[in-house]
Amino acid sequence: SERWNLLYANQLSTEEFKKLADDTHQYLNQVPQQTHETNTQLLEIVMAQDFQDLTGQVIKKMMDMFKNLETEMLTLLVQFSPEHKKGELDSSLLNGPVINPEGQPDAVSNQQQVDDLLESLGF
């Protein structure tokens, strides 16, 4: 570009102009090959991204299917297991919200305390 600017400013000799024209011609002959290589590399990038997207979609569908299968199998096992094999329901697992928070330092009783707790955890 600098050499072409010098040419337009009439500051190049005839020999320098011939050299500039030859260099420009060689460059222009190389451009199609360089653009083809760039195009090939860009195509590979796009294909890799498409493959990753498709793979992610397949994995998500498979995980949804496995989750559904697990839920159905668990339901089936619970429904058709013998009564003597079913354990007693552990009532300690049915703990609900704390009705009387007095004397329990880890209990929260209003939304502000919940918000403060979540904020302290980084949420």
Side-chain angles (χ1 to χ4, degrees):
S1 176
E2 291 176 14
R3 289 167 53 199
W4 277 103
N5 289 337
L6 289 174
L7 173 70
Y8 286 118
N10 289 327
Q11 296 178 353
L12 284 184
S13 67
T14 306
E15 288 301 317
E16 290 172 328
F17 172 70
K18 288 180 182 179
K19 177 69 174 146
L20 174 61
D22 187 47
D23 290 346
T24 303
H25 184 255
Q26 288 177 8
Y27 173 77
L28 292 175
N29 285 334
Q30 293 174 356
V31 168
Q33 179 184 355
Q34 292 172 349
T35 56
H36 177 72
E37 290 173 6
T38 303
N39 188 27
T40 302
Q41 292 171 351
L42 290 174
L43 183 62
E44 286 181 27
I45 291 170
V46 169
M47 293 298 287
Q49 290 173 336
D50 285 347
F51 178 75
Q52 184 176 1
D53 290 345
L54 292 175
T55 303
Q57 290 174 12
V58 169
I59 290 172
K60 184 180 182 310
K61 286 180 183 179
M62 292 299 294
M63 292 304 295
D64 290 342
M65 184 187 74
F66 289 138
K67 184 185 245 182
N68 189 18
L69 182 64
E70 178 185 19
T71 303
E72 290 178 12
M73 289 293 291
L74 184 58
T75 303
L76 181 71
L77 287 173
V78 168
Q79 286 179 351
F80 293 102
S81 62
E83 288 298 322
H84 69 279
K85 293 280 186 176
K86 292 181 182 178
E88 279 290 318
L89 182 62
D90 187 3
S91 61
S92 69
L93 298 176
L94 299 177
N95 295 335
V98 177
I99 295 174
N100 186 7
E102 294 176 17
Q104 298 182 10
D106 61 341
V108 293
S109 60
N110 62 35
Q111 186 62 44
Q112 181 61 41
Q113 290 176 337
V114 171
D115 292 341
D116 291 342
L117 175 63
L118 291 173
E119 184 178 333
S120 72
L121 295 173
F123 297 103

